[in-house]
Amino acid sequence: QVQLVESGGGLVQAGGALRLSCTASGRTFSPYPMGWFRQAPGKEREFVASISRSGHVTKYADSVKDRFTISRDNAKNTMYLQMNSLKPEDPAVYYCAADTAIATMNWIDYDYWGQGTQVTVSS
């Protein structure tokens, strides 16, 4: 079993930056591909970014490409999402997730989830 806890959300002005963290406990998360998803009120949960076990392979949604960077530190059991140039369309609850197989863009494939952290962007 893996427990995931997100942190780092908050209120930021448009154009600003935030860094989200996702810390794992329980079984080591280093074998697991990981991902970030987000869900805004009234909208479906959507893929943001994913990262392979080693951290060498990353994927991004088109809406965040070149603005967000996903990374991980397996020694610290922590994954990060650096969010730059935040836009009014970025606010949502951001979730981290772990997949026991491969990281996909489909949230239903992921096996473990954090509780989410709120990101709010003021214009």
Side-chain angles (χ1 to χ4, degrees):
Q1 196 75 347
V2 175
Q3 292 79 44
L4 304 174
V5 178
E6 302 95 336
S7 61
L11 172 64
V12 64
Q13 285 190 328
L18 282 175
R19 188 176 80 156
L20 306 183
S21 298
C22 172
T23 301
S25 60
R27 289 186 61 182
T28 178
F29 87 143
S30 59
Y32 296 138
M34 303 281 291
W36 286 99
F37 290 79
R38 66 185 183 186
Q39 188 167 19
K43 294 187 177 182
E44 293 187 354
R45 189 167 299 191
E46 65 174 356
F47 171 79
V48 176
S50 65
I51 190 166
S52 63
R53 293 176 177 84
S54 65
H56 294 155
V57 179
T58 58
K59 297 179 182 178
Y60 296 92
D62 289 341
S63 59
V64 307
K65 201 172 294 184
D66 299 326
R67 298 189 298 123
F68 291 9
T69 302
I70 189 172
S71 62
R72 67 191 297 165
D73 184 341
N74 289 343
K76 296 182 178 180
N77 287 348
T78 302
M79 176 180 66
Y80 305 97
L81 185 68
Q82 178 66 43
M83 305 186 295
N84 297 330
S85 303
L86 282 160
K87 299 180 178 181
E89 56 263 37
D90 290 323
V93 177
Y94 282 70
Y95 299 90
C96 68
D99 193 324
T100 56
I102 60 172
T104 72
M105 300 173 66
N106 190 354
W107 67 266
I108 203 168
D109 293 333
Y110 286 74
D111 302 285
Y112 302 104
W113 290 86
Q115 83 291 346
T117 185
Q118 178 72 50
V119 171
T120 305
V121 179
S122 63
S123 56

